[in-house]
């Protein structure tokens, strides 16, 4: 039996990668293509990093991802990687790559039916976040999509604070799979639900979360009766 969190929140804020989107089902196609293009353009000459290294960086800001994945890459290589990543991710989504976690759409609909406002708060690029919800047909379920790429925020703490201020939200849950999500929720006074089902995170990432769920639909079990 899951622990109930009361009262019912006005809103729930969701991370994207590893929370709504099973990102490895998209990134596995993008990763090799991206590096082969960097090689072709002469922008990177080292050995291709493992896709697992990139998956381990999801949730970070893009500039931090490339510092970790390509620490020996030039600023030009990092900038070009930004462009290629977005292009190939959007092309992959349109081609049917990338899956939502099981139960995401039905659970979001159930939350909406209870009168809860739904938002995305992601460290990704605006076009990437919007592309996912559009291609997956879930855009109408959200009251707002907030991304670091759109607002130029330096941290998810700042992004969540802006979202709450913009919409006058007083009570909300933060749902995500990374330490940045836990931090963003806690520093904004929100209960945090950690997503323990993402395969590429580390258990210690979710230290400090109020509850950890093993599947997305378990969110519904946390709501008061």
């Amino acid at each position: 039996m899951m622990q109930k969190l009361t009262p019912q929140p006005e809103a729930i804020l969701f991370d994207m990668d590893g929370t709504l989107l099973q990102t490895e089902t998209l990134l596995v196609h993008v990763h090799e293509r991206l590096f082969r293009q960097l090689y072709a353009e002469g922008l990177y000459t080292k050995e291709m990093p493992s896709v697992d290294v990139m998956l381990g960086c999801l949730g970070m800001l893009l500039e931090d991802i490339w510092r970790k994945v390509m620490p020996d890459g030039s600023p030009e290589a990092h900038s070009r990687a930004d462009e290629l990543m977005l292009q190939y991710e959007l092309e992959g989504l349109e081609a049917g790559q990338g899956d939502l976690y099981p139960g995401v759409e039905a659970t979001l609909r159930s939350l909406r039916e209870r009168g809860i406002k739904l938002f995305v708060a992601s460290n990704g690029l605006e076009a990437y976040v919007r592309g996912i919800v559009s291609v997956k047909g879930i855009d109408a379920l959200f009251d707002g999509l907030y991304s670091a790429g759109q607002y130029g925020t330096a941290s998810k703490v700042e992004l969540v604070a802006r979202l709450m201020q913009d919409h006058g939200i007083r009570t909300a849950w933060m749902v995500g799979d990374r330490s940045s999500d836990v931090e963003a929720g806690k520093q904004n006074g929100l209960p945090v639900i950690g997503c323990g089902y993402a395969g590429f995170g580390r258990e210690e990432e979710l230290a400090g979360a109020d509850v950890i769920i093993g599947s997305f639909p378990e969110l519904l079990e946390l709501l008061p009766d």
Side-chain angles (χ1 to χ4, degrees):
M1 187 75 177
M2 297 290 288
Q3 160 194 348
K4 302 287 186 183
L5 296 180
T6 56
Q8 176 171 303
E10 295 173 60
I12 301 180
L13 321 181
F14 297 96
D15 174 46
M16 177 57 77
D17 293 308
T19 299
L20 301 178
L21 184 73
Q22 199 169 348
T23 312
E24 62 269 33
T25 60
L26 175 62
L27 203 58
V28 70
H29 301 282
V30 169
H31 172 265
E32 184 172 349
R33 191 179 172 199
L34 184 154
F35 277 97
R36 295 217 175 279
Q37 187 61 32
L38 290 179
Y39 293 146
E41 295 178 13
L43 288 170
Y44 195 67
T45 57
K46 307 290 185 182
E47 184 179 350
M48 185 184 297
S50 162
V51 67
D52 291 333
V53 175
M54 191 177 288
L55 285 169
C57 296
L58 290 175
M60 297 179 182
L61 296 170
L62 266 180
E63 57 262 35
D64 296 327
I65 289 178
W66 300 129
R67 284 194 202 104
K68 184 97 171 175
V69 174
M70 288 191 285
D72 45 7
S74 66
E76 292 75 21
H78 290 183
S79 176
R80 182 63 172 141
D82 278 352
E83 297 170 359
L84 293 172
M85 181 103 146
L86 179 60
Q87 177 189 337
Y88 294 163
E89 282 175 335
L90 293 177
E91 289 175 1
L93 287 165
E94 291 290 349
Q97 298 165 2
D99 301 321
L100 297 175
Y101 282 101
V104 163
E105 183 174 354
T107 301
L108 293 176
R109 291 190 183 281
S110 295
L111 293 170
R112 287 277 296 193
E113 286 167 7
R114 290 192 60 144
I116 299 170
K117 295 179 180 179
L118 307 179
F119 296 88
V120 170
S122 167
N123 274 337
L125 294 172
E126 178 184 9
Y128 172 66
V129 172
R130 293 190 181 281
I132 292 166
V133 298
S134 175
V135 168
K136 299 303 178 185
I138 57 173
D139 41 347
L141 298 176
F142 290 99
D143 293 86
L145 305 174
Y146 278 64
S147 60
Q150 178 181 8
Y151 291 100
T153 45
S155 70
K156 189 166 282 191
V157 174
E158 188 181 329
L159 186 68
V160 167
R162 172 156 189 167
L163 187 164
M164 293 181 68
Q165 182 176 11
D166 286 353
H167 294 270
I169 294 167
R170 297 177 303 281
T171 62
W173 295 352
M174 182 71 218
V175 181
D177 69 309
R178 292 291 179 168
S179 56
S180 57
D181 300 308
V182 177
E183 181 187 29
K186 289 301 174 186
Q187 292 204 24
N188 283 287
L190 310 180
V192 176
I193 292 89
C195 301
Y197 49 79
F200 44 83
R202 297 185 303 278
E203 198 172 317
E204 60 266 27
E205 291 264 355
L206 296 176
D210 294 274
V211 182
I212 296 179
I213 54 175
S215 70
F216 194 81
E218 285 181 16
L219 267 178
L220 298 174
E221 299 177 32
L222 303 177
L223 293 167
D225 297 326

